[in-house]
Amino acid sequence: MNQELQAPFVGSIDQGTTSSRFIIFDSKGMPAASHQVEFKQMYPKPGWHEHDPYDLIKSVESCIAEATAVFTKIGYLPSDIKVIGVTNQRETTVLWDTQTGEPVCNAIVWPDTRTDSLVRELKSRKGASGLQQICGLPLSTYPSAVKMLWLCQNNPRVREAYNAKRLSFGTVDSWLIYSLNGGPKRSIHATDSTNASRTMLLNLHSLQYDNTLLDFFQLDRNHIHLPHVFPSSDDKAFGSVESGPLAGVRITGCLGDQSAALVGQSAFLPGMAKNTYGTGCFLLYNVGDAPVISKHGLLATVAYDFGPKHSPVYALEGSIAVAGSGVKFLTSNLRFATESSKIGDLALTVEDNGGVVFVTAFSGLFAPYWIDDARGTICMSPKDGSCGFLISNLPPNNLNLTENHLVGITHHTEQGHIARATLEATCYQTKAILDAMEKDSGHKLTELAVDGGMSESDLCMQIQSDVIGISVDRPAMRETTALGSAIAAGLAVKIWRDFKELEEMNKLNRTVFTPKISHHQSKGMFQRWQKAVNMSRGWVDMNESQEENTPP
């Protein structure tokens, strides 16, 4: 038994885009045991990304069993785990049969772009311009409602269930909570306000489903079962685990993954922000107890909602579709390395990017640009500062480009330059988001808290500090997303009673990166990035896109 760990313990389910994990935290926020499982990614057509809903729940159940086994081996009992929190990839859309509890199709994952032609149609509908004032989100391929509408229009099994009034919808949190509770046996169909605010069906002010939004998407609530919306911290709403080593343990916390990371970073005061570098990259800025509807390309969202004794807290969010997945592109598609962790080493083999700028727009560009027809583009920035195009000289056997475009590199370009440019792409987009946040909020951030896989790279975090011109603060314990959902669960049962108890959690041995280049240098780098963004536009032929997105 580890004498440094302090009971009671809280379990945290962290269901992400490429893997699931279960982490058991002590009362000081230190991990006691954990287990992680990757699951299959499906890309049936260009721009399509799917998950098997059963893979999601099976991976979670496996992680719970394995982490609990480790926990008992170090001298603790399963009964020492008092409650469980859930955090999850957001927007990913799961549909199942209300009567049987069986999925009626694969889940459409959040960066999937099959709905781009539908989005163009929706933007032309009457009332489209007023939606963001209600829900905080712009029309794009991103929100769950657009994915659900596409499935209702294009998938016969979904349409049949919808017409028969037995179609249940949920984001991943709802599906996990429903399944962990035994599915149709208990029929606990629940979500929290942070996840519901990503569907484009929730009124951001009332935190209830809005008829104007439902009518716009032509979704009849008599035909579709939507999850009940609860606060992120609730001691009864989310039920309990029905089977397995933690059978009977209550689920008392639920947060979308980016909200969970904000909580895990203890960003409880307006003006505090965090950036999570995962498959995508997500910057959340706490704006307090009233939503701020962005005028500069950002999203308004619920940051967290800790129940009746606390007002809901809102955030401005900048979402970057490609971060860690850009690094994975270099390993899986371009064969630059066998492991993603080696890309940072490769980037260190060169002094700078050699003039290469990589706009990693594999799914278009998200905030603050929202360019649906952008695609991945590498261009060369000569020393005079202009952006020019030259044909790639990389060996063909290293390429599997699908719909991404390698243009603008020279004979001087090495793998290290492209690796470095891939890391820089996320840092530049973070800079664009921070600039938009300053315009929306009227305040300039003085420090950025970071977490997620790419934050492990000292080089990437130093580049980030150089690009944004402020300090970057990285915790020693990086599992802030899982910690956030554990905090939500613990607050519900008074393991922690207020935010003051949480302020010093995960504050030891943090690493702070400070800018090492001049403002003039940083400004010039960002100007070249903006030129490259303009070059990434218009790669998608809209007629071809519509044909590609027709289901098989």
Side-chain angles (χ1 to χ4, degrees):
M1 186 178 291
N2 188 337
Q3 299 301 320
E4 294 181 2
L5 296 173
Q6 295 187 27
F9 295 89
V10 180
S12 178
I13 295 165
D14 182 357
Q15 202 299 300
T17 309
T18 59
S19 68
S20 300
R21 69 188 75 189
F22 186 68
I23 303 178
I24 302 164
F25 291 96
D26 77 349
S27 63
K28 297 296 183 183
M30 294 303 297
S34 66
H35 191 74
Q36 182 173 0
V37 171
E38 292 190 351
F39 53 87
K40 184 179 180 181
Q41 308 294 310
M42 291 177 278
Y43 305 96
K45 299 179 76 168
W48 292 32
H49 189 178
E50 297 180 355
H51 289 158
D52 182 339
Y54 285 128
D55 285 348
L56 303 183
I57 185 59
K58 286 177 182 176
S59 65
V60 165
E61 290 173 337
S62 172
C63 288
I64 291 173
E66 295 296 329
T68 304
V70 172
F71 187 65
T72 56
K73 281 180 182 177
I74 61 173
Y76 296 97
L77 298 172
S79 58
D80 292 327
I81 302 169
K82 300 305 179 186
V83 288
I84 293 172
V86 174
T87 185
N88 56 283
Q89 54 171 314
R90 304 168 304 167
E91 295 93 17
T92 295
T93 300
V94 188
L95 298 174
W96 63 92
D97 188 302
T98 306
Q99 294 176 357
T100 66
E102 296 177 357
V104 294
C105 61
N106 283 334
I108 297 185
V109 187
W110 59 269
D112 184 288
T113 60
R114 74 185 69 186
T115 58
D116 53 6
S117 58
L118 174 60
V119 169
R120 289 191 298 276
E121 176 199 324
L122 291 172
K123 285 179 177 178
S124 67
R125 281 188 187 177
K126 183 180 178 181
S129 61
L131 298 182
Q132 191 166 0
Q133 293 298 317
I134 303 172
C135 67
L137 309 179
L139 270 170
S140 72
T141 59
Y142 196 22
S144 309
V146 179
K147 296 173 170 60
M148 178 166 45
L149 179 58
W150 188 94
L151 286 166
C152 286
Q153 291 177 347
N154 292 280
N155 186 301
R157 287 191 66 198
V158 172
R159 193 161 55 247
E160 179 187 350
Y162 178 85
N163 290 337
K165 301 182 180 181
R166 50 182 175 80
L167 183 66
S168 287
F169 156 79
T171 43
V172 169
D173 58 306
S174 297
W175 168 246
L176 295 179
I177 289 167
Y178 175 80
S179 300
L180 289 168
N181 274 277
K185 186 185 297 184
R186 296 188 195 167
S187 288
I188 292 184
H189 193 190
T191 188
D192 88 302
S193 54
T194 68
N195 280 294
S197 71
R198 315 302 297 186
T199 63
M200 218 170 175
L201 298 176
L202 191 82
N203 185 307
L204 206 58
H205 308 273
S206 69
L207 299 187
Q208 299 296 321
Y209 296 116
D210 190 282
N211 288 333
T212 299
L213 299 171
L214 287 158
D215 291 345
F216 177 84
F217 289 105
Q218 298 174 348
L219 294 169
D220 186 341
R221 285 199 69 176
N222 293 317
H223 284 256
I224 190 162
H225 299 262
L226 301 175
H228 298 287
V229 182
F230 295 99
S232 313
S233 188
D234 193 294
D235 66 346
K236 294 183 177 67
F238 306 118
S240 61
V241 178
E242 198 260 345
S243 62
L246 297 185
V249 177
R250 283 182 292 164
I251 302 167
T252 58
C254 179
L255 286 163
D257 53 6
Q258 304 313 318
S259 290
L262 191 76
V263 171
Q265 290 275 16
S266 298
F268 298 125
L269 297 176
M272 300 181 79
K274 69 86 201 177
N275 204 23
T276 298
Y277 302 76
T279 302
C281 185
F282 303 89
L283 201 160
L284 263 67
Y285 179 96
N286 184 327
V287 298
D289 59 7
V292 174
I293 305 300
S294 177
K295 297 179 180 177
H296 299 95
L298 304 179
L299 312 177
T301 193
V302 179
Y304 52 84
D305 177 6
F306 288 145
K309 293 184 180 179
H310 303 274
S311 297
V313 172
Y314 295 87
L316 281 170
E317 176 175 335
S319 306
I320 299 169
V322 176
S325 57
V327 172
K328 193 169 182 64
F329 173 78
L330 298 187
T331 59
S332 300
N333 292 50
L334 302 190
R335 309 289 192 268
F336 277 16
T338 55
E339 299 174 18
S340 295
S341 60
K342 302 296 184 184
I343 294 301
D345 296 337
L346 187 59
L348 283 167
T349 62
V350 294
E351 292 184 1
D352 54 33
N353 62 21
V356 175
V357 182
F358 189 3
V359 183
T360 51
F362 303 163
S363 304
L365 282 171
F366 283 11
Y369 304 104
W370 299 108
I371 306 172
D372 292 337
D373 63 355
R375 286 297 180 267
T377 304
I378 295 182
C379 70
M380 183 74 182
S381 299
K383 291 182 180 179
D384 63 6
S386 63
C387 261
F389 289 101
L390 294 169
I391 298 301
S392 166
N393 203 43
L394 287 179
N397 63 340
N398 277 352
L399 301 180
N400 179 13
L401 296 181
T402 62
E403 55 189 355
N404 306 300
H405 306 274
L406 278 167
V407 292
I409 64 177
T410 72
H411 293 280
H412 167 71
T413 304
E414 299 176 10
Q415 288 183 335
H417 294 126
I418 296 175
R420 196 176 186 107
T422 303
L423 300 181
E424 290 176 349
T426 300
C427 299
Y428 288 134
Q429 289 175 85
T430 297
K431 157 73 172 169
I433 288 168
L434 283 175
D435 287 350
M437 283 185 174
E438 184 178 346
K439 293 173 184 174
D440 277 329
S441 67
H443 298 285
K444 183 176 177 64
L445 205 65
T446 58
E447 183 178 77
L448 181 64
V450 299
D451 52 65
M454 283 179 70
S455 73
E456 301 278 353
S457 165
D458 287 358
L459 174 62
C460 187
M461 293 302 96
Q462 184 58 56
I463 293 169
Q464 185 67 88
S465 180
D466 290 342
V467 168
I468 62 179
I470 60 175
S471 298
V472 168
D473 182 2
R474 183 180 68 190
M477 199 286 290
R478 313 282 206 275
E479 301 292 355
T480 55
T481 301
L483 177 60
S485 82
I487 288 171
L491 285 170
V493 294
K494 296 184 170 48
I495 288 175
W496 304 285
R497 293 182 178 273
D498 54 42
F499 295 153
K500 270 203 167 308
E501 289 186 63
L502 303 168
E503 286 175 357
E504 296 306 312
M505 192 176 283
N506 201 22
K507 296 300 182 187
L508 294 177
N509 302 318
R510 295 176 80 97
T511 303
V512 178
F513 300 85
T514 57
K516 292 184 177 180
I517 64 174
S518 69
H519 174 70
H520 177 74
Q521 287 175 287
S522 175
K523 184 178 178 181
M525 292 162 61
F526 188 64
Q527 285 174 340
R528 287 192 289 277
W529 162 261
Q530 294 288 60
K531 290 179 181 178
V533 166
N534 287 330
M535 290 185 172
S536 75
R537 296 173 182 267
W539 286 103
V540 178
D541 181 283
M542 297 308 174
N543 293 325
E544 287 181 6
S545 172
Q546 194 160 1
E547 291 174 6
E548 285 177 357
N549 292 334
T550 302

